[in-house]
Short mmCIF file of all heavy atoms in Angstrom, two decimals:
data_model
loop_
_atom_site.label_atom_id
_atom_site.label_comp_id
_atom_site.label_asym_id
_atom_site.label_seq_id
_atom_site.Cartn_x
_atom_site.Cartn_y
_atom_site.Cartn_z
N MET C 105 85.40 -4.32 -43.73
CA MET C 105 85.86 -3.18 -42.96
C MET C 105 87.03 -3.63 -42.11
O MET C 105 87.32 -4.82 -42.04
CB MET C 105 84.68 -2.63 -42.09
CG MET C 105 84.19 -3.62 -41.01
SD MET C 105 82.60 -3.04 -40.28
CE MET C 105 82.97 -1.35 -39.83
N THR C 106 87.71 -2.65 -41.51
CA THR C 106 88.82 -3.01 -40.69
C THR C 106 88.40 -3.75 -39.47
O THR C 106 87.29 -3.49 -38.91
CB THR C 106 89.71 -1.79 -40.33
OG1 THR C 106 88.87 -0.98 -39.50
CG2 THR C 106 90.15 -1.02 -41.50
N ALA C 107 89.21 -4.64 -38.92
CA ALA C 107 88.88 -5.35 -37.69
C ALA C 107 88.65 -4.41 -36.50
O ALA C 107 87.77 -4.56 -35.71
CB ALA C 107 89.95 -6.42 -37.36
N GLU C 108 89.48 -3.41 -36.49
CA GLU C 108 89.38 -2.34 -35.39
C GLU C 108 88.01 -1.65 -35.46
O GLU C 108 87.33 -1.51 -34.41
CB GLU C 108 90.47 -1.25 -35.51
CG GLU C 108 90.47 -0.26 -34.46
CD GLU C 108 91.56 0.77 -34.64
OE1 GLU C 108 92.32 0.68 -35.60
OE2 GLU C 108 91.59 1.73 -33.75
N ASN C 109 87.58 -1.21 -36.62
CA ASN C 109 86.26 -0.56 -36.73
C ASN C 109 85.14 -1.53 -36.44
O ASN C 109 84.10 -1.23 -35.88
CB ASN C 109 86.09 0.06 -38.08
CG ASN C 109 86.93 1.27 -38.28
OD1 ASN C 109 87.52 1.77 -37.34
ND2 ASN C 109 87.06 1.72 -39.54
N PHE C 110 85.31 -2.79 -36.84
CA PHE C 110 84.31 -3.84 -36.63
C PHE C 110 84.09 -4.00 -35.09
O PHE C 110 82.98 -4.02 -34.68
CB PHE C 110 84.78 -5.10 -37.28
CG PHE C 110 83.85 -6.29 -37.07
CD1 PHE C 110 82.89 -6.62 -38.04
CD2 PHE C 110 83.87 -7.10 -35.93
CE1 PHE C 110 82.04 -7.69 -37.91
CE2 PHE C 110 82.98 -8.15 -35.76
CZ PHE C 110 82.05 -8.46 -36.76
N ARG C 111 85.18 -4.11 -34.38
CA ARG C 111 85.08 -4.34 -32.93
C ARG C 111 84.42 -3.18 -32.24
O ARG C 111 83.69 -3.32 -31.30
CB ARG C 111 86.45 -4.67 -32.33
CG ARG C 111 87.02 -5.97 -32.77
CD ARG C 111 88.43 -6.14 -32.40
NE ARG C 111 89.02 -7.41 -32.89
CZ ARG C 111 90.22 -7.52 -33.44
NH1 ARG C 111 90.98 -6.41 -33.51
NH2 ARG C 111 90.65 -8.72 -33.91
N THR C 112 84.79 -1.98 -32.68
CA THR C 112 84.24 -0.72 -32.09
C THR C 112 82.67 -0.68 -32.42
O THR C 112 81.94 -0.37 -31.49
CB THR C 112 84.95 0.52 -32.65
OG1 THR C 112 86.32 0.44 -32.40
CG2 THR C 112 84.34 1.80 -32.07
N LEU C 113 82.36 -0.93 -33.65
CA LEU C 113 80.95 -0.78 -34.00
C LEU C 113 80.11 -1.79 -33.34
O LEU C 113 78.96 -1.47 -32.93
CB LEU C 113 80.82 -0.94 -35.54
CG LEU C 113 79.46 -0.79 -36.16
CD1 LEU C 113 78.95 0.58 -36.00
CD2 LEU C 113 79.47 -1.17 -37.57
N PHE C 114 80.56 -3.01 -33.15
CA PHE C 114 79.73 -4.06 -32.55
C PHE C 114 80.06 -4.33 -31.08
O PHE C 114 79.65 -5.39 -30.59
CB PHE C 114 79.88 -5.37 -33.37
CG PHE C 114 79.31 -5.17 -34.83
CD1 PHE C 114 80.16 -5.09 -35.89
CD2 PHE C 114 77.96 -5.13 -35.04
CE1 PHE C 114 79.72 -4.84 -37.19
CE2 PHE C 114 77.45 -4.94 -36.34
CZ PHE C 114 78.39 -4.87 -37.41
N ASP C 115 80.79 -3.44 -30.41
CA ASP C 115 81.13 -3.50 -29.02
C ASP C 115 81.81 -4.82 -28.66
O ASP C 115 81.37 -5.54 -27.72
CB ASP C 115 79.84 -3.37 -28.16
CG ASP C 115 79.15 -2.05 -28.40
OD1 ASP C 115 79.84 -1.06 -28.56
OD2 ASP C 115 77.88 -2.02 -28.43
N LYS C 116 82.82 -5.20 -29.39
CA LYS C 116 83.56 -6.40 -29.09
C LYS C 116 84.93 -6.06 -28.49
O LYS C 116 85.45 -4.95 -28.60
CB LYS C 116 83.83 -7.17 -30.40
CG LYS C 116 82.56 -7.54 -31.14
CD LYS C 116 81.73 -8.47 -30.44
CE LYS C 116 80.45 -8.88 -31.29
NZ LYS C 116 79.57 -9.79 -30.50
N LYS C 117 85.47 -7.07 -27.77
CA LYS C 117 86.80 -6.86 -27.14
C LYS C 117 87.92 -6.69 -28.26
O LYS C 117 87.73 -7.18 -29.34
CB LYS C 117 87.13 -8.00 -26.18
CG LYS C 117 86.19 -8.12 -25.02
CD LYS C 117 86.57 -9.33 -24.13
CE LYS C 117 85.66 -9.39 -22.90
NZ LYS C 117 85.97 -10.55 -22.06
N ASP C 118 89.04 -6.22 -27.84
CA ASP C 118 90.11 -6.00 -28.75
C ASP C 118 90.71 -7.34 -29.32
O ASP C 118 91.29 -7.36 -30.32
CB ASP C 118 91.29 -5.19 -28.05
CG ASP C 118 90.90 -3.76 -27.81
OD1 ASP C 118 89.90 -3.32 -28.34
OD2 ASP C 118 91.55 -3.13 -26.96
N THR C 119 90.46 -8.38 -28.56
CA THR C 119 91.00 -9.70 -28.98
C THR C 119 89.94 -10.51 -29.69
O THR C 119 90.22 -11.68 -30.07
CB THR C 119 91.51 -10.48 -27.79
OG1 THR C 119 90.45 -10.56 -26.82
CG2 THR C 119 92.66 -9.79 -27.15
N TYR C 120 88.80 -9.97 -29.94
CA TYR C 120 87.64 -10.71 -30.47
C TYR C 120 87.91 -11.04 -31.96
O TYR C 120 88.43 -10.24 -32.69
CB TYR C 120 86.33 -9.93 -30.38
CG TYR C 120 85.18 -10.49 -31.13
CD1 TYR C 120 84.41 -11.51 -30.58
CD2 TYR C 120 84.94 -10.13 -32.46
CE1 TYR C 120 83.34 -12.08 -31.29
CE2 TYR C 120 83.86 -10.69 -33.17
CZ TYR C 120 83.09 -11.59 -32.54
OH TYR C 120 82.06 -12.26 -33.25
N PHE C 121 87.59 -12.28 -32.34
CA PHE C 121 87.52 -12.66 -33.75
C PHE C 121 86.48 -13.87 -33.89
O PHE C 121 86.30 -14.59 -32.90
CB PHE C 121 88.89 -13.14 -34.25
CG PHE C 121 89.37 -14.43 -33.63
CD1 PHE C 121 89.12 -15.65 -34.23
CD2 PHE C 121 90.14 -14.43 -32.50
CE1 PHE C 121 89.56 -16.81 -33.73
CE2 PHE C 121 90.62 -15.55 -31.92
CZ PHE C 121 90.28 -16.81 -32.49
N ASN C 122 85.89 -13.96 -34.99
CA ASN C 122 84.93 -15.04 -35.23
C ASN C 122 85.27 -15.90 -36.45
O ASN C 122 84.59 -16.82 -36.82
CB ASN C 122 83.53 -14.55 -35.38
CG ASN C 122 83.34 -13.62 -36.57
OD1 ASN C 122 84.21 -13.31 -37.26
ND2 ASN C 122 82.15 -13.06 -36.73
N GLY C 123 86.42 -15.59 -37.01
CA GLY C 123 86.90 -16.34 -38.17
C GLY C 123 88.36 -16.08 -38.37
O GLY C 123 88.86 -14.97 -38.24
N TYR C 124 89.10 -17.16 -38.72
CA TYR C 124 90.58 -17.04 -38.90
C TYR C 124 90.97 -17.84 -40.07
O TYR C 124 90.69 -19.08 -40.07
CB TYR C 124 91.28 -17.50 -37.57
CG TYR C 124 92.72 -17.16 -37.56
CD1 TYR C 124 93.15 -15.91 -37.04
CD2 TYR C 124 93.72 -18.01 -38.09
CE1 TYR C 124 94.51 -15.64 -37.00
CE2 TYR C 124 95.04 -17.70 -37.99
CZ TYR C 124 95.45 -16.47 -37.48
OH TYR C 124 96.75 -16.14 -37.44
N PHE C 125 91.59 -17.22 -41.06
CA PHE C 125 92.13 -17.95 -42.22
C PHE C 125 93.56 -18.35 -41.93
O PHE C 125 94.37 -17.52 -41.48
CB PHE C 125 92.12 -17.09 -43.43
CG PHE C 125 90.76 -16.79 -44.01
CD1 PHE C 125 90.13 -15.57 -43.74
CD2 PHE C 125 90.04 -17.71 -44.75
CE1 PHE C 125 88.85 -15.31 -44.22
CE2 PHE C 125 88.82 -17.51 -45.29
CZ PHE C 125 88.17 -16.28 -45.05
N SER C 126 93.85 -19.56 -42.19
CA SER C 126 95.22 -20.04 -42.08
C SER C 126 95.50 -21.16 -43.03
O SER C 126 94.64 -21.96 -43.41
CB SER C 126 95.43 -20.54 -40.65
OG SER C 126 96.68 -21.17 -40.51
#
Side-chain angles (χ1 to χ4, degrees):
M105 61 193 310
T106 65
E108 181 182 359
N109 289 349
F110 180 95
R111 293 171 183 138
T112 301
L113 182 65
F114 296 104
D115 300 322
K116 302 297 183 182
K117 295 180 179 179
D118 291 343
T119 56
Y120 171 84
F121 67 91
N122 61 1
Y124 191 90
F125 288 102
S126 175

